[in-house]
Amino acid sequence: MTDENFTPVDPARVRAVLEVLGWPDDRADPAAAPAPLDECDYPLGLHWKLAEDVIRAADAASSEQHVIEIRAEGWTIQHPLSCRPNLFDCPVNRVGEADMASLDCPPAPPGRYACGINDLGDRFEIYDQVDQEVRTDG
């Protein structure tokens, strides 16, 4: 997977990780880039890219998930905290809106379902129902 396939990470989050790890922001300063090790050329911004990878790994391991609530009158995607503050840039939001708009009827019965996008980032997917109403009337 190449960097252009990754969802952008909020720069404030990246700077926070760099600060905690004691790493420099090496995106713009060639002198801040690490020295080559064993004849490997480190790209400018290696620390920044590694900090982004740390954030993406933590987000992926998080129990937070996207949830779609399907109702008779429409639907809503609820986002995990990791999507904020850029909800409109969220790929689940973009792909979900496009795929849901093309449907003539709801893709599932009313309820709340985990959702996401496929590995290629071009198809919206609905997974298991995350909570069900418990009927008490028999």
Side-chain angles (χ1 to χ4, degrees):
M1 184 175 281
T2 59
D3 287 343
E4 62 268 8
N5 291 331
F6 284 126
T7 302
V9 177
D10 179 5
R13 294 179 74 201
V14 178
R15 285 191 293 276
V17 168
L18 290 172
E19 183 176 332
V20 166
L21 295 174
W23 293 351
D25 178 348
D26 57 353
R27 292 174 296 161
D29 182 6
L37 177 66
D38 296 331
E39 300 180 10
C40 293
D41 292 325
Y42 287 93
L44 190 61
L46 175 68
H47 289 123
W48 185 272
K49 289 180 182 184
L50 289 173
E52 287 180 325
D53 289 346
V54 166
I55 293 167
R56 287 187 188 102
D59 288 349
S62 169
S63 63
E64 295 182 18
Q65 61 186 349
H66 286 85
V67 173
I68 184 167
E69 182 177 344
I70 298 175
R71 300 176 310 278
E73 67 278 359
W75 55 275
T76 304
I77 294 178
Q78 297 170 346
H79 296 266
L81 292 174
S82 59
C83 285
R84 297 180 183 128
N86 299 314
L87 292 178
F88 295 113
D89 292 333
C90 171
V92 173
N93 192 56
R94 286 193 319 260
V95 175
E97 281 190 18
D99 282 5
M100 293 293 285
S102 69
L103 299 176
D104 293 332
C105 61
R112 292 169 32 87
Y113 301 85
C115 64
I117 54 176
N118 67 354
D119 290 341
L120 298 175
D122 64 348
R123 294 281 183 234
F124 184 69
E125 297 178 336
I126 297 177
Y127 309 125
D128 294 332
Q129 195 164 7
V130 294
D131 52 21
Q132 297 176 349
E133 290 185 68
V134 177
R135 295 190 60 147
T136 57
D137 60 356

